[in-house]
Amino acid sequence: MANLKLPKLPDRTPVKLTITISPELKAVLEAYASAYEAAYGEREPIAELIPAMLVGFLASDRSFSRGSKERR
């Protein structure tokens, strides 16, 4: 097999995760969804925004990123 520049794609099977949040956090997430709609002209469900928020948060956490590199 040839050495391709693109590595094998990771598992992309969605995983459903159920969490319980406080009413205050729900209100903040609803406000964020409204701000998102104002900025981009499209309403997105909170459940669609949260994964992107978590990815961004984890990517920006330098301490976690350093630990992730050490764990590999």
Side-chain angles (χ1 to χ4, degrees), residues 5 11 23 31 44 52 63 68-69:
K5 192 164 199 138
D11 182 6
E44 293 288 347
S63 180
S68 294
K69 290 176 186 171

Side-chain angles (χ1 to χ4, degrees), residues 25-35 43 46:
L25 179 55
K26 183 177 184 286
V28 172
L29 289 170
E30 289 171 342
Y32 190 91
S34 294
R43 183 76 178 174
I46 293 170

Side-chain angles (χ1 to χ4, degrees), residues 4-70:
L4 300 177
K5 192 164 199 138
L6 178 68
K8 183 177 179 187
L9 296 176
D11 182 6
R12 295 176 311 281
T13 305
V15 176
K16 184 166 181 125
L17 179 65
T18 302
I19 64 168
T20 302
I21 61 172
S22 69
E24 294 83 9
L25 179 55
K26 183 177 184 286
V28 172
L29 289 170
E30 289 171 342
Y32 190 91
S34 294
Y36 182 94
E37 181 178 16
Y40 298 110
E42 292 184 33
R43 183 76 178 174
E44 293 288 347
I46 293 170
E48 295 293 324
L49 295 173
I50 291 173
M53 295 166 122
L54 289 172
V55 167
F57 172 80
L58 293 172
S60 69
D61 188 323
R62 292 176 190 230
S63 180
F64 179 75
S65 294
R66 278 192 294 272
S68 294
K69 290 176 186 171
E70 292 170 5

